[in-house]
Amino acid sequence: MADAPLDSLAKDFAPRAAHALRSDGLVRVRLAPPAHPAPLLLSAASFFGAADARRLSAVAPPARAAADERCGYVREAGREFFELHPRALAPPAPRHPAAAALLREAAAAAGAWGALCEAVVEALARESEGLADYRLLSITSLSAIFFTTTSLSEASPSFSASMLRVHQYTADATYPPHCDLGLLTLAPRGSVPGLLVQPLPQGPWLPVEEWMAADEALLFAGSTLAEVCGIPALPHRVARQGQTRLSAPFFLRASPHVKLPRPTDPSPSPHDPPPPLSAADFVARKIDERRAMNEAIVLPTVALPSASVASPPLAAGEVAEATALGLPVCTPCAPAPARRRMPARAGHLFFRLDADGDGRVTAAELREGLLQEFGPSLPTHAAEAIGPLFEAYSIGDFMFAEQYVDQRQFNIIFAEILFARFDSDNDGYLNHDEVQEALKFLVRPPKDGSPKPDIHFACPPGAYTSSGELRLARDWFAMLYRNME
Ligand SMILES: O=C(O)CCC(=O)C(=O)O
Ligand SMILES: [Fe+2]
């Protein structure tokens, strides 16, 4: 770690970086313009500071499962990030200026950092049998086809799943030990030091960013590179910083469709070698291994985006949606996605309103759907809450002209309206009968035509008045709601 950083502009940068990777497992790099990280981190600070920029930049619901192609904003427990797959998507200009600026800087950084990483892979390939076919594994000339108008993933054999992620960690966030899954990671120093690395197996964790200058990055191997040429993937983690931290690692990834060359060491059964794995299969296998390892990890709960409506959101405390958790580049704690906890009745309504199945329900659809679902018995105060709730929770993405709610936000709003429907005096509390009726609303009537049976529910002692009357507030009702089938 004592070595001075390599200058990214130096003529022999790539061979020297390749050599250092082989000998030390990591390299410090001085990022000269145009690769300097400052413009990206500055625009990231503006983006994360602007609630509207984040709200209008969600990864589009239809793209959420497309882990190799997505572009947009994702919220996780403890951190949020803007993700860009520079070779995959051609997003139209974002509607918010801070998002547009971030996308521009992210694209520029991904171009510059991708080129550096590819040069290093190329240098490694010259000396490594496993990487002789490196052109299939990583891709040259990122910029040539940057932001073309179609998705390249299926169309082009040269598609690489490389990506840039710009993170913002909350003050208390930690990120558990892991190795990245791709070929190389280039991690510019974060806005405050937080990254720890473990270059030697079982060795000490080094607070490497404390020794780095603002224009430096760390370059290290991921599991795919380890698989094809034996340079060990670097274990790393992010420690609690006590303050907000921005970071912007670039992950050079192999094309998902190429077959990984087998490592040179003999397979256990030379006559019957295992079939070659594609890069995507390899990554998927690694993710499964991590899932199994981390099954016991319980994610902390997070608050949802703050609402402009006066009352606390009914779903506060819900674990962040698992959109980011199954992602292949770095999934240190990727448990199986949390159960969505959406009562069937709300789910059916969502799917009915989302007629085209794109995961988006617009303001007009939401209003009409809820008015129909609750019928004429919906009190005025509840009907009037629909608009402000949509305002508070709706999101947008680069591919869709209107704001909308996805299934998660729809669930929150449905619960709010259900509460309001039975809160007949609109005082923010339900009595026992009102809770009973609200929960019964969610269940189907029995087939034999008999009345819906009572639902048993438990409430905290503090929810009862001194005379024993139940006065249930929204937060506890939200829990009851989310536990309904
Ligand atoms: O944010 C950082 O500094 C590192 C994050 C990381 O390790 C990852 O996302 O894989
Ligand atoms: Fe990582």
Side-chain angles (χ1 to χ4, degrees):
M1 285 314 308
D3 289 351
L6 296 180
D7 191 331
S8 64
L9 290 181
K11 257 207 179 119
D12 58 353
F13 166 76
R16 286 184 63 194
H19 181 262
L21 268 180
R22 282 195 187 285
S23 61
D24 306 333
L26 75 173
V27 192
R28 280 166 63 179
V29 179
R30 171 152 296 134
L31 295 170
H36 199 291
L40 178 59
L41 291 178
L42 276 175
S43 62
S46 307
F47 173 82
F48 287 117
D52 280 352
R54 287 177 278 140
R55 275 162 52 106
L56 295 173
S57 308
V59 170
R64 287 184 188 163
D68 292 334
E69 305 188 30
R70 324 177 321 166
C71 177
Y73 170 77
V74 175
R75 190 179 169 85
E76 252 187 10
R79 71 175 188 178
E80 52 197 327
F81 53 84
F82 182 86
E83 177 172 310
L84 173 68
H85 286 85
R87 290 179 53 89
L89 278 174
R95 277 174 284 158
H96 194 284
L102 179 60
L103 182 59
R104 218 172 26 246
E105 293 301 342
W113 301 347
L116 283 180
C117 290
E118 288 180 0
V120 175
V121 172
E122 188 167 344
L124 286 167
R126 284 198 207 102
E127 315 157 2
S128 164
E129 231 178 274
L131 272 178
D133 253 351
Y134 74 93
R135 269 172 203 285
L136 290 176
L137 289 175
S138 79
I139 309 306
T140 52
S141 26
L142 285 182
S143 53
I145 47 174
F146 221 105
F147 291 165
T148 54
T149 49
T150 52
S151 163
L152 292 170
S153 60
E154 295 304 323
S156 162
S158 67
F159 171 76
S160 112
S162 298
M163 78 174 182
L164 180 75
R165 272 194 185 163
V166 187
H167 301 119
Q168 175 169 267
Y169 293 84
T170 52
D172 287 327
T174 60
Y175 207 59
H178 65 283
C179 295
D180 292 341
L181 299 179
L183 293 165
L184 283 175
T185 300
L186 185 90
R189 197 193 75 170
S191 61
V192 292
L195 188 68
L196 303 179
V197 299
Q198 189 186 40
L200 298 173
Q202 319 303 326
W205 284 94
L206 307 178
V208 65
E209 284 187 319
E210 287 179 12
W211 309 321
M212 290 163 60
D215 62 352
E216 272 184 54
L218 208 62
L219 181 69
F220 53 88
S223 302
T224 307
L225 194 68
E227 174 80 359
V228 296
C229 77
I231 293 178
L234 180 72
H236 56 284
R237 63 189 167 98
V238 177
R240 179 185 180 278
Q241 303 96 44
Q243 54 184 307
T244 302
R245 172 173 177 266
L246 299 170
S247 72
F250 175 81
F251 305 94
L252 186 76
R253 308 247 339 258
S255 174
H257 305 297
V258 298
K259 302 285 183 227
L260 292 190
R262 280 272 140 212
T264 41
D265 55 60
S267 73
S269 154
H271 300 298
D272 188 15
L277 278 180
S278 72
D281 292 342
F282 173 79
V283 162
R285 208 180 62 186
K286 285 276 165 201
I287 290 173
D288 284 348
E289 283 171 21
R290 287 203 188 141
R291 278 226 169 96
M293 235 170 60
N294 289 301
E295 244 161 21
I297 292 183
V298 178
L299 287 177
T301 57
V302 296
L304 291 165
S306 58
S308 60
V309 283
S311 47
L314 275 174
E318 187 179 350
V319 169
E321 202 54 66
T323 46
L325 290 175
L327 294 184
V329 168
C330 55
T331 48
C333 60
R339 194 164 92 76
R340 193 174 283 281
R341 291 176 175 272
M342 186 175 202
R345 182 159 186 172
H348 289 143
L349 180 60
F350 181 84
F351 287 114
R352 188 155 61 74
L353 298 179
D354 178 25
D356 61 0
D358 72 354
R360 304 173 177 107
V361 167
T362 62
E365 291 167 340
L366 178 78
R367 182 171 184 77
E368 210 181 302
L370 288 174
L371 291 179
Q372 257 180 29
E373 184 78 357
F374 287 94
S377 57
L378 194 64
T380 316
H381 73 264
E384 284 174 352
I386 298 175
L389 282 165
F390 182 85
E391 281 300 305
Y393 286 107
S394 59
I395 58 172
D397 63 64
F398 303 159
M399 317 301 279
F400 197 69
E402 277 181 76
Q403 282 184 233
Y404 58 87
V405 290
D406 69 8
Q407 207 179 338
R408 177 164 171 255
Q409 291 112 21
F410 179 84
N411 196 25
I412 296 169
I413 293 175
F414 191 100
E416 288 275 2
I417 297 300
L418 179 64
F419 186 95
R421 153 72 182 84
F422 288 96
D423 179 14
S424 41
D425 59 0
N426 192 21
D427 69 347
Y429 293 96
L430 300 185
N431 65 30
H432 183 277
D433 291 350
E434 289 168 340
V435 176
Q436 184 61 249
E437 289 310 308
L439 297 180
K440 270 191 195 169
F441 180 85
L442 295 169
V443 300
R444 280 181 194 278
K447 287 212 175 85
D448 63 6
S450 58
K452 293 181 184 178
D454 277 355
I455 290 167
H456 299 286
F457 59 89
C459 298
Y464 291 87
T465 63
S466 52
S467 55
E469 297 265 309
L470 180 63
R471 286 189 88 224
L472 194 70
R474 329 169 87 81
D475 52 353
W476 195 275
F477 178 76
M479 274 190 284
L480 298 177
Y481 169 87
R482 295 200 334 262
N483 281 296
M484 293 294 290
E485 287 300 320

